[in-house]
Amino acid sequence: CCPPRPPRPPWPASTIWSPSRSAAAPDGEVTTTPAVWSGSVLDTGTTVHGELQDHLLPGFDLVSRADMANDGDGRDPDPADPGDWVSPDDHASASFAECSMGDSSWHGTVVAGLIAARTDDGAGVAAINWQGRVVPVRVAGKCGAAVSDIVDGMRWAAGLDVPDGHGGLLPRSVHPVRVINISFGGKAPCNAAYQSAIDELRALGVVVVAAAGNEHGAVLRPASCRGVVAVAALNRDGFKTHYSSFGPQVTLATVGGDDSGGTWGSLLTD
């Protein structure tokens, strides 16, 4: 079922998240999936990283505003992440006056690594699916993402037609996916643009998985939209993390790790 792999050196317990609650397969073997799986990550794009070598499929940059894109143009076939920092000069301009200043997040690379980083190689991290492949769709840049770009990104990832803004259509994805991940959100209610796209994708058998949010409050959109798999975070003891958003829209909760910022302080820190 599975490709051969080199011998795996033992990992010290200190490197395993919550080792007291970790269950190992017989003889320390790693359980693998029998086939290559692919999904799409809608985020800031990806960088060149050894842990993602050969695990990225062709994607697209759907950030329409050139100033937000930060790569010299708007939409293009290159989903590389040039950085989403907001400098004091940016903050002083009208375009980014309401944005928080900060360094680049490289968020898309982090999320892609969680899903499909090279695994069992004695380096970096262990991904959810060691044979996973990610179609990176860049929809976020400086100061976040526009709903119209996110919606177009969802449709493009599923292999649907997306207008190019000039009376034509963008090239279709050569690797349409059935699972789309969105690990960010906004506080506004789910609107018609989001819901229409999600309903269209569901009719095609495509599922959207989205983060419930890190606001310790109501579920963010698009996780709050009907038909989305909304994911909340738990700490190592199975409690909701202090930061995770929550509500009736949450579909599942899984390990996310906790820090000392909540009411319980360091008592539940992972």
Side-chain angles (χ1 to χ4, degrees), residues 179-243:
V179 179
I180 296 172
N181 182 86
I182 305 175
S183 289
F184 59 87
K187 294 183 178 180
C190 179
N191 63 11
Y194 264 127
Q195 194 61 64
S196 177
I198 291 163
D199 291 344
E200 181 181 20
L201 297 185
R202 288 192 71 196
L204 297 173
V206 178
V207 62
V208 175
V209 181
N214 297 336
E215 303 296 327
H216 185 63
V219 175
L220 303 183
R221 73 176 187 189
S224 62
C225 296
R226 184 180 63 254
V228 173
V229 176
V231 184
L234 304 176
N235 63 22
R236 66 181 182 180
D237 294 297
F239 299 117
K240 186 189 78 67
T241 59
H242 77 86
Y243 57 81

Side-chain angles (χ1 to χ4, degrees), residues 39-49 52-53 55-61 77-83 106-114 116 134-140:
S40 185
V41 170
L42 271 62
D43 214 294
T44 63
T46 52
T47 61
V48 176
H49 196 292
L52 292 174
Q53 183 179 353
H55 283 219
L56 296 179
L57 298 173
F60 213 88
D61 178 359
D78 181 8
D81 184 354
W106 313 118
H107 193 262
T109 299
V110 173
V111 174
L114 290 171
V134 165
V135 177
V137 179
R138 185 172 183 243
V139 297

Side-chain angles (χ1 to χ4, degrees), residues 24 62 78 86 147 194 217 244:
L62 283 163
D78 181 8
V86 176
V147 171
Y194 264 127
S244 182

Side-chain angles (χ1 to χ4, degrees), residues 36-121:
V36 173
W37 171 93
S38 63
S40 185
V41 170
L42 271 62
D43 214 294
T44 63
T46 52
T47 61
V48 176
H49 196 292
E51 285 289 272
L52 292 174
Q53 183 179 353
D54 302 324
H55 283 219
L56 296 179
L57 298 173
F60 213 88
D61 178 359
L62 283 163
V63 180
S64 55
R65 274 180 49 183
D67 56 348
M68 290 181 65
N70 200 30
D71 60 358
D73 58 15
R75 294 181 171 182
D76 60 62
D78 181 8
D81 184 354
D84 57 0
W85 75 88
V86 176
S87 68
D89 288 342
D90 292 327
H91 191 65
S93 70
S95 296
F96 302 112
E98 297 183 5
C99 308
S100 298
M101 290 186 290
D103 296 331
S104 293
S105 66
W106 313 118
H107 193 262
T109 299
V110 173
V111 174
L114 290 171
I115 294 173
R118 295 166 63 91
T119 299
D120 209 28
D121 58 358

